[in-house]
Amino acid sequence: MIANIPDGDRLPHALYRAEQVRALDRLAIDEQGIPGRELMERAGRALYRLIRVRWPLARRPVVLAGVGNNGGDGYVVARLALEDGLSVRVLQLGDPDRLSGDAASAHADYCSAGGLVEPFRRAPLRADLVVDALLGTGLERPVEGAWAEAIAAINEQRAPVVAVDIPSGLHSDTGQVMGVAVRATVTLSFIGLKQGLFIGDGPQYRGDCRFSGLEIPALVYARERLSMRRIDWLQQGAAIAPRSRTAHKGDCGRILVVGGAPGMSGAARLAGEAALRSGAGLVTVVTHPEHARWLNLTRPELMVVGVENPPDLAPLIERADVVALGPGLGRSDWGRGLWRAISRVARPLVVDADALNALAFEPLAREDWILTPHPGEAGRLLGMGTAEIQADRLAAVQALQSRYGGIAVLKGAGTLIQGDPSRPPAVCSDGNPGMATAGSGDVLTGVLAALIGQGLDLESAALAGVCLHAAAGDRAAREGERGMVAGDIVAELRAAANRIEVN
């Protein structure tokens, strides 16, 4: 029986480190009595089925095989293609004499079926489909030599690429490119989803992600605690309960947005409107008096108050359920004064943008806030460079939470959320590159504040809010990622929050 390959929106939510997946594999073999060769056969069959369903006209596949179990999976695919009458080529990387165990058995079965094995040479691959079965999950050093040349050859050709378990050259735990990595069209991951497919450079290199559990019994998974949680709006939307038929605006959250220094009023406006579109009942924007009179001209539902001096904030904070601090706050004395006045108030806070830069300058920890840095802001908060943050985003979000408390949200491709450190961090698999645009983070700030105002605890609001923001971005991207603006995301929040299906 060929293992099931669920659709992308039904991927498991549990993510694992490479060593954990190896442990699951051993448990399946040692305790469940499933031979390793049988697991390899199931993996190869699942992969071949995916290929034939997705590319039924592909007649000249090329399999690049390494000397580990990934190579063994590739040999199973090659044998099945041969038996199907396809003109398959296998290009071997590394000494085939190094093949051992189940991989050697799969190699022998392919050769017994009449298959030929060629050594890889730096030449055009001339294929209508390429199977990347080079390197597996154990990679810990940069790819060099012939292996790097093979990966470059895969990336240079135009045929679709199917990666076995993980694209060769991608680190399974961090998602970091180890010198060079295969840019896959589809990755079929086995037994447990590797967390590196969803963090770091993983989303850029994995292509369309698919999964097969190889029919391993569920009780095996009970022996390993997941390392991360994959979250999406399909799952997290359930956290937002239907609105009561007797609700009034006071029940839906009083949000105070603080920001909008001269020249940056748009950021506060975006956060305020995003809060409204995410279900907040009342939204007040505190901004610089210079533009307070006209900030809500095209969105009259926003209440706007110009504040010159921090003491004037007191009555506004008193009436608020949650404060969103930072969009367009700036780094002038005006912005720093508002930061000092609000950073210690007894209200839940959502902290973004220049408020995070103020926090880096005047460190403070508290439990009732959500911090939402992008990698540059995270670097300032942790005293690191942006490249260091991106090299290990998981470690960065955990360090942010440990140092500053509350909930840390590290924005980017595969936004990470770390709340209670006793629970695994989460990564959002929704979203798209079109969201990399000015103001997108300000929209997220408004969404998070609105969900807190509607009664979600901070961690639940962070999980649901990040996914709602991403889902709205995906809806906006239906008209193209290039040229998206933050307002396009705001425009989709209402439909996404109400889970109205896309036509």
Side-chain angles (χ1 to χ4, degrees), residues 8 11 50 54-55 132 160-163 165-167 170 182-189 193 196-198 201-211 429 431:
L11 287 171
L50 173 63
R54 187 145 182 177
W55 294 283
D132 164 29
V161 178
V162 181
D165 208 22
I166 192 165
L170 189 71
V182 167
R183 292 182 181 271
T185 310
V186 177
T187 296
L188 180 58
S189 189
L193 279 177
L197 293 169
F198 296 90
D201 294 312
Q204 174 76 3
Y205 284 81
R206 71 174 190 235
D208 184 15
C209 191
R210 292 288 184 264
F211 174 77
S429 57

PDB file of all heavy atoms in Angstrom, residues 8 11 50 54-55 132 160-163 165-167 170 182-189 193 196-198 201-211 429 431:
ATOM      1  N   GLY A   8      -1.369  20.128   1.023  1.00  0.00           N
ATOM      2  CA  GLY A   8      -0.535  21.039   1.797  1.00  0.00           C
ATOM      3  C   GLY A   8      -1.235  21.647   2.990  1.00  0.00           C
ATOM      4  O   GLY A   8      -0.633  21.898   4.019  1.00  0.00           O
ATOM      5  N   LEU A  11      -1.148  19.421   6.271  1.00  0.00           N
ATOM      6  CA  LEU A  11       0.118  18.963   6.835  1.00  0.00           C
ATOM      7  C   LEU A  11      -0.009  18.822   8.347  1.00  0.00           C
ATOM      8  O   LEU A  11      -0.781  19.545   8.982  1.00  0.00           O
ATOM      9  CB  LEU A  11       1.225  19.962   6.522  1.00  0.00           C
ATOM     10  CG  LEU A  11       1.749  20.022   5.092  1.00  0.00           C
ATOM     11  CD1 LEU A  11       2.685  21.213   4.936  1.00  0.00           C
ATOM     12  CD2 LEU A  11       2.452  18.741   4.714  1.00  0.00           C
ATOM     13  N   LEU A  50       3.590  10.571  -5.924  1.00  0.00           N
ATOM     14  CA  LEU A  50       3.491  12.021  -6.020  1.00  0.00           C
ATOM     15  C   LEU A  50       3.945  12.506  -7.397  1.00  0.00           C
ATOM     16  O   LEU A  50       3.302  13.351  -8.032  1.00  0.00           O
ATOM     17  CB  LEU A  50       4.327  12.668  -4.919  1.00  0.00           C
ATOM     18  CG  LEU A  50       4.491  14.188  -4.960  1.00  0.00           C
ATOM     19  CD1 LEU A  50       3.149  14.880  -4.804  1.00  0.00           C
ATOM     20  CD2 LEU A  50       5.464  14.651  -3.881  1.00  0.00           C
ATOM     21  N   ARG A  54       1.471  14.326 -10.115  1.00  0.00           N
ATOM     22  CA  ARG A  54       1.706  15.740 -10.400  1.00  0.00           C
ATOM     23  C   ARG A  54       2.279  15.976 -11.801  1.00  0.00           C
ATOM     24  O   ARG A  54       1.978  16.990 -12.434  1.00  0.00           O
ATOM     25  CB  ARG A  54       2.636  16.318  -9.342  1.00  0.00           C
ATOM     26  CG  ARG A  54       2.814  17.819  -9.453  1.00  0.00           C
ATOM     27  CD  ARG A  54       2.951  18.435  -8.111  1.00  0.00           C
ATOM     28  NE  ARG A  54       3.081  19.873  -8.197  1.00  0.00           N
ATOM     29  CZ  ARG A  54       3.155  20.673  -7.142  1.00  0.00           C
ATOM     30  NH1 ARG A  54       3.066  20.159  -5.939  1.00  0.00           N
ATOM     31  NH2 ARG A  54       3.290  21.967  -7.278  1.00  0.00           N
ATOM     32  N   TRP A  55       3.116  15.058 -12.267  1.00  0.00           N
ATOM     33  CA  TRP A  55       3.740  15.222 -13.592  1.00  0.00           C
ATOM     34  C   TRP A  55       3.531  13.942 -14.410  1.00  0.00           C
ATOM     35  O   TRP A  55       4.490  13.209 -14.685  1.00  0.00           O
ATOM     36  CB  TRP A  55       5.230  15.527 -13.447  1.00  0.00           C
ATOM     37  CG  TRP A  55       5.491  16.847 -12.794  1.00  0.00           C
ATOM     38  CD1 TRP A  55       5.397  18.083 -13.357  1.00  0.00           C
ATOM     39  CD2 TRP A  55       5.890  17.061 -11.431  1.00  0.00           C
ATOM     40  NE1 TRP A  55       5.713  19.063 -12.440  1.00  0.00           N
ATOM     41  CE2 TRP A  55       6.025  18.466 -11.252  1.00  0.00           C
ATOM     42  CE3 TRP A  55       6.174  16.216 -10.362  1.00  0.00           C
ATOM     43  CZ2 TRP A  55       6.397  19.022 -10.031  1.00  0.00           C
ATOM     44  CZ3 TRP A  55       6.548  16.761  -9.148  1.00  0.00           C
ATOM     45  CH2 TRP A  55       6.655  18.155  -8.997  1.00  0.00           C
ATOM     46  N   ASP A 132      15.947  14.901  -6.280  1.00  0.00           N
ATOM     47  CA  ASP A 132      17.088  15.216  -5.414  1.00  0.00           C
ATOM     48  C   ASP A 132      17.127  14.213  -4.274  1.00  0.00           C
ATOM     49  O   ASP A 132      16.384  14.326  -3.294  1.00  0.00           O
ATOM     50  CB  ASP A 132      16.951  16.646  -4.877  1.00  0.00           C
ATOM     51  CG  ASP A 132      17.858  16.907  -3.683  1.00  0.00           C
ATOM     52  OD1 ASP A 132      18.928  16.276  -3.600  1.00  0.00           O
ATOM     53  OD2 ASP A 132      17.482  17.745  -2.834  1.00  0.00           O
ATOM     54  N   PRO A 160      11.137  20.569 -13.213  1.00  0.00           N
ATOM     55  CA  PRO A 160      10.740  20.557 -11.806  1.00  0.00           C
ATOM     56  C   PRO A 160      11.635  19.632 -10.989  1.00  0.00           C
ATOM     57  O   PRO A 160      12.165  18.645 -11.501  1.00  0.00           O
ATOM     58  CB  PRO A 160       9.291  20.058 -11.836  1.00  0.00           C
ATOM     59  CG  PRO A 160       9.134  19.380 -13.157  1.00  0.00           C
ATOM     60  CD  PRO A 160      10.068  20.067 -14.095  1.00  0.00           C
ATOM     61  N   VAL A 161      11.789  19.975  -9.720  1.00  0.00           N
ATOM     62  CA  VAL A 161      12.683  19.232  -8.829  1.00  0.00           C
ATOM     63  C   VAL A 161      11.889  18.726  -7.628  1.00  0.00           C
ATOM     64  O   VAL A 161      11.203  19.497  -6.960  1.00  0.00           O
ATOM     65  CB  VAL A 161      13.843  20.125  -8.328  1.00  0.00           C
ATOM     66  CG1 VAL A 161      14.738  19.351  -7.366  1.00  0.00           C
ATOM     67  CG2 VAL A 161      14.640  20.660  -9.507  1.00  0.00           C
ATOM     68  N   VAL A 162      12.009  17.437  -7.364  1.00  0.00           N
ATOM     69  CA  VAL A 162      11.366  16.824  -6.203  1.00  0.00           C
ATOM     70  C   VAL A 162      12.452  16.457  -5.202  1.00  0.00           C
ATOM     71  O   VAL A 162      13.358  15.676  -5.527  1.00  0.00           O
ATOM     72  CB  VAL A 162      10.567  15.574  -6.595  1.00  0.00           C
ATOM     73  CG1 VAL A 162       9.884  14.977  -5.372  1.00  0.00           C
ATOM     74  CG2 VAL A 162       9.533  15.903  -7.666  1.00  0.00           C
ATOM     75  N   ALA A 163      12.397  17.012  -4.014  1.00  0.00           N
ATOM     76  CA  ALA A 163      13.391  16.733  -2.982  1.00  0.00           C
ATOM     77  C   ALA A 163      12.911  15.608  -2.082  1.00  0.00           C
ATOM     78  O   ALA A 163      11.756  15.594  -1.647  1.00  0.00           O
ATOM     79  CB  ALA A 163      13.671  17.979  -2.156  1.00  0.00           C
ATOM     80  N   ASP A 165      12.686  14.132   1.297  1.00  0.00           N
ATOM     81  CA  ASP A 165      12.710  14.434   2.729  1.00  0.00           C
ATOM     82  C   ASP A 165      13.060  15.882   3.042  1.00  0.00           C
ATOM     83  O   ASP A 165      12.365  16.547   3.795  1.00  0.00           O
ATOM     84  CB  ASP A 165      13.653  13.488   3.468  1.00  0.00           C
ATOM     85  CG  ASP A 165      13.241  13.282   4.917  1.00  0.00           C
ATOM     86  OD1 ASP A 165      12.059  13.503   5.240  1.00  0.00           O
ATOM     87  OD2 ASP A 165      14.092  12.904   5.735  1.00  0.00           O
ATOM     88  N   ILE A 166      14.161  16.399   2.456  1.00  0.00           N
ATOM     89  CA  ILE A 166      14.551  17.794   2.645  1.00  0.00           C
ATOM     90  C   ILE A 166      15.460  18.176   1.495  1.00  0.00           C
ATOM     91  O   ILE A 166      16.221  17.332   0.994  1.00  0.00           O
ATOM     92  CB  ILE A 166      15.269  17.995   4.003  1.00  0.00           C
ATOM     93  CG1 ILE A 166      15.408  19.490   4.338  1.00  0.00           C
ATOM     94  CG2 ILE A 166      16.620  17.287   4.039  1.00  0.00           C
ATOM     95  CD1 ILE A 166      15.777  19.758   5.786  1.00  0.00           C
ATOM     96  N   PRO A 167      15.382  19.405   0.983  1.00  0.00           N
ATOM     97  CA  PRO A 167      16.290  19.792  -0.100  1.00  0.00           C
ATOM     98  C   PRO A 167      17.752  19.656   0.334  1.00  0.00           C
ATOM     99  O   PRO A 167      18.136  20.094   1.423  1.00  0.00           O
ATOM    100  CB  PRO A 167      15.930  21.254  -0.363  1.00  0.00           C
ATOM    101  CG  PRO A 167      14.512  21.391   0.111  1.00  0.00           C
ATOM    102  CD  PRO A 167      14.418  20.490   1.302  1.00  0.00           C
ATOM    103  N   LEU A 170      20.114  22.050   2.815  1.00  0.00           N
ATOM    104  CA  LEU A 170      19.345  22.826   3.796  1.00  0.00           C
ATOM    105  C   LEU A 170      19.459  22.160   5.156  1.00  0.00           C
ATOM    106  O   LEU A 170      19.249  20.947   5.289  1.00  0.00           O
ATOM    107  CB  LEU A 170      17.876  22.902   3.365  1.00  0.00           C
ATOM    108  CG  LEU A 170      16.982  23.856   4.163  1.00  0.00           C
ATOM    109  CD1 LEU A 170      17.342  25.310   3.860  1.00  0.00           C
ATOM    110  CD2 LEU A 170      15.509  23.610   3.842  1.00  0.00           C
ATOM    111  N   VAL A 182      19.529  22.914  -2.784  1.00  0.00           N
ATOM    112  CA  VAL A 182      18.605  22.678  -3.889  1.00  0.00           C
ATOM    113  C   VAL A 182      17.362  23.535  -3.707  1.00  0.00           C
ATOM    114  O   VAL A 182      16.793  23.608  -2.617  1.00  0.00           O
ATOM    115  CB  VAL A 182      18.218  21.187  -3.952  1.00  0.00           C
ATOM    116  CG1 VAL A 182      17.023  20.967  -4.876  1.00  0.00           C
ATOM    117  CG2 VAL A 182      19.408  20.343  -4.403  1.00  0.00           C
ATOM    118  N   ARG A 183      16.943  24.181  -4.790  1.00  0.00           N
ATOM    119  CA  ARG A 183      15.665  24.905  -4.809  1.00  0.00           C
ATOM    120  C   ARG A 183      14.617  23.951  -5.366  1.00  0.00           C
ATOM    121  O   ARG A 183      14.515  23.769  -6.583  1.00  0.00           O
ATOM    122  CB  ARG A 183      15.767  26.169  -5.653  1.00  0.00           C
ATOM    123  CG  ARG A 183      16.675  27.235  -5.051  1.00  0.00           C
ATOM    124  CD  ARG A 183      16.698  28.480  -5.918  1.00  0.00           C
ATOM    125  NE  ARG A 183      17.580  29.491  -5.372  1.00  0.00           N
ATOM    126  CZ  ARG A 183      17.209  30.429  -4.487  1.00  0.00           C
ATOM    127  NH1 ARG A 183      15.954  30.451  -4.064  1.00  0.00           N
ATOM    128  NH2 ARG A 183      18.064  31.313  -4.032  1.00  0.00           N
ATOM    129  N   ALA A 184      13.863  23.336  -4.484  1.00  0.00           N
ATOM    130  CA  ALA A 184      12.918  22.297  -4.884  1.00  0.00           C
ATOM    131  C   ALA A 184      11.601  22.891  -5.356  1.00  0.00           C
ATOM    132  O   ALA A 184      11.187  23.967  -4.906  1.00  0.00           O
ATOM    133  CB  ALA A 184      12.668  21.343  -3.724  1.00  0.00           C
ATOM    134  N   THR A 185      10.950  22.174  -6.247  1.00  0.00           N
ATOM    135  CA  THR A 185       9.575  22.498  -6.623  1.00  0.00           C
ATOM    136  C   THR A 185       8.621  21.931  -5.594  1.00  0.00           C
ATOM    137  O   THR A 185       7.646  22.565  -5.196  1.00  0.00           O
ATOM    138  CB  THR A 185       9.251  21.922  -8.007  1.00  0.00           C
ATOM    139  OG1 THR A 185      10.267  22.292  -8.931  1.00  0.00           O
ATOM    140  CG2 THR A 185       7.888  22.400  -8.492  1.00  0.00           C
ATOM    141  N   VAL A 186       8.920  20.698  -5.162  1.00  0.00           N
ATOM    142  CA  VAL A 186       8.146  20.006  -4.129  1.00  0.00           C
ATOM    143  C   VAL A 186       9.120  19.271  -3.235  1.00  0.00           C
ATOM    144  O   VAL A 186      10.113  18.704  -3.714  1.00  0.00           O
ATOM    145  CB  VAL A 186       7.156  18.985  -4.744  1.00  0.00           C
ATOM    146  CG1 VAL A 186       6.409  18.235  -3.645  1.00  0.00           C
ATOM    147  CG2 VAL A 186       6.165  19.647  -5.671  1.00  0.00           C
ATOM    148  N   THR A 187       8.843  19.265  -1.935  1.00  0.00           N
ATOM    149  CA  THR A 187       9.578  18.435  -0.990  1.00  0.00           C
ATOM    150  C   THR A 187       8.595  17.482  -0.333  1.00  0.00           C
ATOM    151  O   THR A 187       7.556  17.917   0.178  1.00  0.00           O
ATOM    152  CB  THR A 187      10.273  19.280   0.087  1.00  0.00           C
ATOM    153  OG1 THR A 187      11.254  20.121  -0.530  1.00  0.00           O
ATOM    154  CG2 THR A 187      10.956  18.399   1.118  1.00  0.00           C
ATOM    155  N   LEU A 188       8.900  16.193  -0.359  1.00  0.00           N
ATOM    156  CA  LEU A 188       8.091  15.204   0.346  1.00  0.00           C
ATOM    157  C   LEU A 188       8.865  14.762   1.578  1.00  0.00           C
ATOM    158  O   LEU A 188       9.912  14.120   1.469  1.00  0.00           O
ATOM    159  CB  LEU A 188       7.768  14.007  -0.551  1.00  0.00           C
ATOM    160  CG  LEU A 188       6.921  12.905   0.083  1.00  0.00           C
ATOM    161  CD1 LEU A 188       5.584  13.445   0.586  1.00  0.00           C
ATOM    162  CD2 LEU A 188       6.696  11.751  -0.897  1.00  0.00           C
ATOM    163  N   SER A 189       8.366  15.143   2.749  1.00  0.00           N
ATOM    164  CA  SER A 189       9.037  14.844   4.006  1.00  0.00           C
ATOM    165  C   SER A 189       8.429  13.589   4.635  1.00  0.00           C
ATOM    166  O   SER A 189       7.216  13.390   4.579  1.00  0.00           O
ATOM    167  CB  SER A 189       8.896  16.034   4.963  1.00  0.00           C
ATOM    168  OG  SER A 189       9.701  15.875   6.103  1.00  0.00           O
ATOM    169  N   LEU A 193       7.708  15.989  10.096  1.00  0.00           N
ATOM    170  CA  LEU A 193       8.087  17.213   9.382  1.00  0.00           C
ATOM    171  C   LEU A 193       9.293  17.859  10.065  1.00  0.00           C
ATOM    172  O   LEU A 193       9.299  18.051  11.280  1.00  0.00           O
ATOM    173  CB  LEU A 193       6.927  18.205   9.364  1.00  0.00           C
ATOM    174  CG  LEU A 193       5.832  18.018   8.323  1.00  0.00           C
ATOM    175  CD1 LEU A 193       4.744  19.062   8.526  1.00  0.00           C
ATOM    176  CD2 LEU A 193       6.387  18.087   6.908  1.00  0.00           C
ATOM    177  N   GLY A 196      13.254  22.713  10.012  1.00  0.00           N
ATOM    178  CA  GLY A 196      14.011  23.557   9.103  1.00  0.00           C
ATOM    179  C   GLY A 196      13.308  23.847   7.793  1.00  0.00           C
ATOM    180  O   GLY A 196      13.699  24.758   7.068  1.00  0.00           O
ATOM    181  N   LEU A 197      12.255  23.092   7.470  1.00  0.00           N
ATOM    182  CA  LEU A 197      11.482  23.370   6.267  1.00  0.00           C
ATOM    183  C   LEU A 197      10.627  24.621   6.414  1.00  0.00           C
ATOM    184  O   LEU A 197      10.165  25.181   5.416  1.00  0.00           O
ATOM    185  CB  LEU A 197      10.578  22.174   5.936  1.00  0.00           C
ATOM    186  CG  LEU A 197      11.274  20.883   5.503  1.00  0.00           C
ATOM    187  CD1 LEU A 197      10.278  19.735   5.470  1.00  0.00           C
ATOM    188  CD2 LEU A 197      11.939  21.055   4.144  1.00  0.00           C
ATOM    189  N   PHE A 198      10.422  25.077   7.660  1.00  0.00           N
ATOM    190  CA  PHE A 198       9.485  26.167   7.925  1.00  0.00           C
ATOM    191  C   PHE A 198      10.132  27.399   8.538  1.00  0.00           C
ATOM    192  O   PHE A 198       9.458  28.406   8.735  1.00  0.00           O
ATOM    193  CB  PHE A 198       8.360  25.665   8.834  1.00  0.00           C
ATOM    194  CG  PHE A 198       7.537  24.592   8.192  1.00  0.00           C
ATOM    195  CD1 PHE A 198       7.876  23.261   8.342  1.00  0.00           C
ATOM    196  CD2 PHE A 198       6.449  24.911   7.401  1.00  0.00           C
ATOM    197  CE1 PHE A 198       7.137  22.259   7.719  1.00  0.00           C
ATOM    198  CE2 PHE A 198       5.706  23.922   6.779  1.00  0.00           C
ATOM    199  CZ  PHE A 198       6.050  22.590   6.937  1.00  0.00           C
ATOM    200  N   ASP A 201      15.747  29.777   5.847  1.00  0.00           N
ATOM    201  CA  ASP A 201      15.598  29.766   4.395  1.00  0.00           C
ATOM    202  C   ASP A 201      14.701  28.638   3.909  1.00  0.00           C
ATOM    203  O   ASP A 201      14.490  28.500   2.698  1.00  0.00           O
ATOM    204  CB  ASP A 201      16.980  29.631   3.732  1.00  0.00           C
ATOM    205  CG  ASP A 201      17.868  30.843   3.977  1.00  0.00           C
ATOM    206  OD1 ASP A 201      17.378  31.970   3.777  1.00  0.00           O
ATOM    207  OD2 ASP A 201      19.033  30.662   4.376  1.00  0.00           O
ATOM    208  N   GLY A 202      14.176  27.830   4.825  1.00  0.00           N
ATOM    209  CA  GLY A 202      13.365  26.685   4.435  1.00  0.00           C
ATOM    210  C   GLY A 202      12.222  27.011   3.493  1.00  0.00           C
ATOM    211  O   GLY A 202      12.068  26.355   2.450  1.00  0.00           O
ATOM    212  N   PRO A 203      11.385  28.023   3.816  1.00  0.00           N
ATOM    213  CA  PRO A 203      10.269  28.338   2.914  1.00  0.00           C
ATOM    214  C   PRO A 203      10.705  28.718   1.503  1.00  0.00           C
ATOM    215  O   PRO A 203       9.957  28.527   0.552  1.00  0.00           O
ATOM    216  CB  PRO A 203       9.585  29.513   3.627  1.00  0.00           C
ATOM    217  CG  PRO A 203       9.924  29.333   5.065  1.00  0.00           C
ATOM    218  CD  PRO A 203      11.330  28.803   5.066  1.00  0.00           C
ATOM    219  N   GLN A 204      11.914  29.253   1.358  1.00  0.00           N
ATOM    220  CA  GLN A 204      12.416  29.665   0.046  1.00  0.00           C
ATOM    221  C   GLN A 204      12.866  28.467  -0.780  1.00  0.00           C
ATOM    222  O   GLN A 204      12.775  28.489  -2.011  1.00  0.00           O
ATOM    223  CB  GLN A 204      13.588  30.639   0.237  1.00  0.00           C
ATOM    224  CG  GLN A 204      14.317  31.041  -1.028  1.00  0.00           C
ATOM    225  CD  GLN A 204      13.548  32.049  -1.857  1.00  0.00           C
ATOM    226  OE1 GLN A 204      12.481  32.497  -1.472  1.00  0.00           O
ATOM    227  NE2 GLN A 204      14.100  32.402  -3.010  1.00  0.00           N
ATOM    228  N   TYR A 205      13.356  27.414  -0.128  1.00  0.00           N
ATOM    229  CA  TYR A 205      13.988  26.305  -0.834  1.00  0.00           C
ATOM    230  C   TYR A 205      13.134  25.048  -0.917  1.00  0.00           C
ATOM    231  O   TYR A 205      13.359  24.209  -1.777  1.00  0.00           O
ATOM    232  CB  TYR A 205      15.333  25.964  -0.172  1.00  0.00           C
ATOM    233  CG  TYR A 205      16.414  26.949  -0.520  1.00  0.00           C
ATOM    234  CD1 TYR A 205      16.514  28.160   0.149  1.00  0.00           C
ATOM    235  CD2 TYR A 205      17.318  26.697  -1.538  1.00  0.00           C
ATOM    236  CE1 TYR A 205      17.492  29.099  -0.179  1.00  0.00           C
ATOM    237  CE2 TYR A 205      18.303  27.618  -1.880  1.00  0.00           C
ATOM    238  CZ  TYR A 205      18.389  28.815  -1.200  1.00  0.00           C
ATOM    239  OH  TYR A 205      19.342  29.730  -1.542  1.00  0.00           O
ATOM    240  N   ARG A 206      12.151  24.891  -0.041  1.00  0.00           N
ATOM    241  CA  ARG A 206      11.411  23.621   0.001  1.00  0.00           C
ATOM    242  C   ARG A 206      10.378  23.508  -1.115  1.00  0.00           C
ATOM    243  O   ARG A 206       9.943  22.413  -1.449  1.00  0.00           O
ATOM    244  CB  ARG A 206      10.702  23.470   1.345  1.00  0.00           C
ATOM    245  CG  ARG A 206       9.522  24.434   1.479  1.00  0.00           C
ATOM    246  CD  ARG A 206       8.685  24.246   2.700  1.00  0.00           C
ATOM    247  NE  ARG A 206       7.492  25.043   2.578  1.00  0.00           N
ATOM    248  CZ  ARG A 206       7.081  25.938   3.464  1.00  0.00           C
ATOM    249  NH1 ARG A 206       7.798  26.155   4.545  1.00  0.00           N
ATOM    250  NH2 ARG A 206       5.960  26.603   3.268  1.00  0.00           N
ATOM    251  N   GLY A 207       9.913  24.636  -1.664  1.00  0.00           N
ATOM    252  CA  GLY A 207       8.809  24.601  -2.609  1.00  0.00           C
ATOM    253  C   GLY A 207       7.531  24.185  -1.909  1.00  0.00           C
ATOM    254  O   GLY A 207       7.304  24.484  -0.735  1.00  0.00           O
ATOM    255  N   ASP A 208       6.690  23.473  -2.612  1.00  0.00           N
ATOM    256  CA  ASP A 208       5.440  22.972  -2.051  1.00  0.00           C
ATOM    257  C   ASP A 208       5.764  21.810  -1.120  1.00  0.00           C
ATOM    258  O   ASP A 208       6.392  20.836  -1.535  1.00  0.00           O
ATOM    259  CB  ASP A 208       4.534  22.520  -3.202  1.00  0.00           C
ATOM    260  CG  ASP A 208       3.174  22.078  -2.732  1.00  0.00           C
ATOM    261  OD1 ASP A 208       2.808  22.379  -1.582  1.00  0.00           O
ATOM    262  OD2 ASP A 208       2.469  21.414  -3.521  1.00  0.00           O
ATOM    263  N   CYS A 209       5.356  21.901   0.125  1.00  0.00           N
ATOM    264  CA  CYS A 209       5.712  20.874   1.105  1.00  0.00           C
ATOM    265  C   CYS A 209       4.609  19.829   1.208  1.00  0.00           C
ATOM    266  O   CYS A 209       3.436  20.158   1.342  1.00  0.00           O
ATOM    267  CB  CYS A 209       5.964  21.513   2.468  1.00  0.00           C
ATOM    268  SG  CYS A 209       6.708  20.371   3.660  1.00  0.00           S
ATOM    269  N   ARG A 210       5.014  18.567   1.167  1.00  0.00           N
ATOM    270  CA  ARG A 210       4.106  17.441   1.340  1.00  0.00           C
ATOM    271  C   ARG A 210       4.664  16.500   2.390  1.00  0.00           C
ATOM    272  O   ARG A 210       5.830  16.579   2.757  1.00  0.00           O
ATOM    273  CB  ARG A 210       3.917  16.690   0.011  1.00  0.00           C
ATOM    274  CG  ARG A 210       3.150  17.497  -1.039  1.00  0.00           C
ATOM    275  CD  ARG A 210       1.683  17.578  -0.656  1.00  0.00           C
ATOM    276  NE  ARG A 210       0.883  18.256  -1.686  1.00  0.00           N
ATOM    277  CZ  ARG A 210       0.565  19.515  -1.654  1.00  0.00           C
ATOM    278  NH1 ARG A 210       1.038  20.288  -0.680  1.00  0.00           N
ATOM    279  NH2 ARG A 210      -0.198  20.054  -2.583  1.00  0.00           N
ATOM    280  N   PHE A 211       3.816  15.609   2.893  1.00  0.00           N
ATOM    281  CA  PHE A 211       4.231  14.744   4.000  1.00  0.00           C
ATOM    282  C   PHE A 211       3.660  13.349   3.843  1.00  0.00           C
ATOM    283  O   PHE A 211       2.519  13.177   3.400  1.00  0.00           O
ATOM    284  CB  PHE A 211       3.762  15.335   5.334  1.00  0.00           C
ATOM    285  CG  PHE A 211       4.013  14.432   6.520  1.00  0.00           C
ATOM    286  CD1 PHE A 211       5.275  14.315   7.048  1.00  0.00           C
ATOM    287  CD2 PHE A 211       2.974  13.694   7.082  1.00  0.00           C
ATOM    288  CE1 PHE A 211       5.519  13.484   8.130  1.00  0.00           C
ATOM    289  CE2 PHE A 211       3.205  12.858   8.164  1.00  0.00           C
ATOM    290  CZ  PHE A 211       4.489  12.751   8.689  1.00  0.00           C
ATOM    291  N   SER A 429       2.850  28.976   8.985  1.00  0.00           N
ATOM    292  CA  SER A 429       3.171  28.533   7.622  1.00  0.00           C
ATOM    293  C   SER A 429       2.344  29.251   6.569  1.00  0.00           C
ATOM    294  O   SER A 429       2.492  28.983   5.374  1.00  0.00           O
ATOM    295  CB  SER A 429       2.968  27.016   7.496  1.00  0.00           C
ATOM    296  OG  SER A 429       1.649  26.639   7.844  1.00  0.00           O
ATOM    297  N   GLY A 431       1.084  33.008   4.719  1.00  0.00           N
ATOM    298  CA  GLY A 431       1.772  34.238   4.358  1.00  0.00           C
ATOM    299  C   GLY A 431       2.522  34.096   3.050  1.00  0.00           C
ATOM    300  O   GLY A 431       2.697  32.991   2.515  1.00  0.00           O
TER     301      GLY A 431
END
